[in-house]
Amino acid sequence: QVQLVESGGGLVQPGGSLRLSCAASRSIFSINAMGWYRQAPGKQREWVAFITSGGIANYANFVKGRFTISRDNAKNTVYLQMNSLKPEDTAVYYCNALARDTYWGQGTQVTVSS
């Protein structure tokens, strides 16, 4: 069982940056992959990025070059650094963990607006 808590969301202007955090209740060293998804109002939840236990990162095309996923195993935390934010990035961002089962956090709101 893994409990995940996201934080770091907020209101930012277009072109700005935010850093999201996902704190896990246990070591993430043995978790196969950690990822981020997002869901905007009235839209389907979509995958954003993931990072494997081996440190391999992948990104959705719409965030490549702007977002960076990273992890700190000592802190049991995964991060999503978001730069050059656009209004269409506005969504609730969810952390997930692929272990024995799949786990989800409660989400954190990101709003990009002038």
Side-chain angles (χ1 to χ4, degrees):
Q1 185 177 341
V2 182
Q3 295 178 353
L4 305 171
V5 180
E6 302 97 331
S7 62
L11 175 64
V12 65
Q13 292 185 335
S17 298
L18 284 173
R19 188 195 194 198
L20 306 184
S21 298
C22 172
S25 61
R26 68 170 178 86
S27 175
I28 63 172
F29 180 79
S30 61
I31 297 176
N32 294 337
M34 302 288 295
W36 290 93
Y37 286 71
R38 70 187 188 186
Q39 187 169 27
K43 298 182 67 178
Q44 304 270 36
R45 185 172 297 189
E46 60 185 354
W47 169 69
V48 175
F50 76 84
I51 186 166
T52 70
S53 60
I56 300 171
N58 285 79
Y59 302 91
N61 286 334
F62 53 80
V63 303
K64 285 183 178 177
R66 300 191 297 124
F67 292 10
T68 303
I69 188 170
S70 62
R71 65 182 183 184
D72 186 337
N73 290 342
K75 295 182 178 180
N76 297 334
T77 300
V78 174
Y79 303 96
L80 185 68
Q81 178 66 46
M82 305 186 295
N83 300 324
S84 302
L85 283 163
K86 306 173 181 179
E88 51 263 44
D89 294 320
T90 296
V92 177
Y93 283 71
Y94 297 90
C95 179
N96 85 321
L98 181 61
R100 202 176 207 274
D101 298 295
T102 301
Y103 302 92
W104 294 90
Q106 82 290 346
T108 185
Q109 177 71 49
V110 172
T111 302
V112 185
S113 176
S114 299

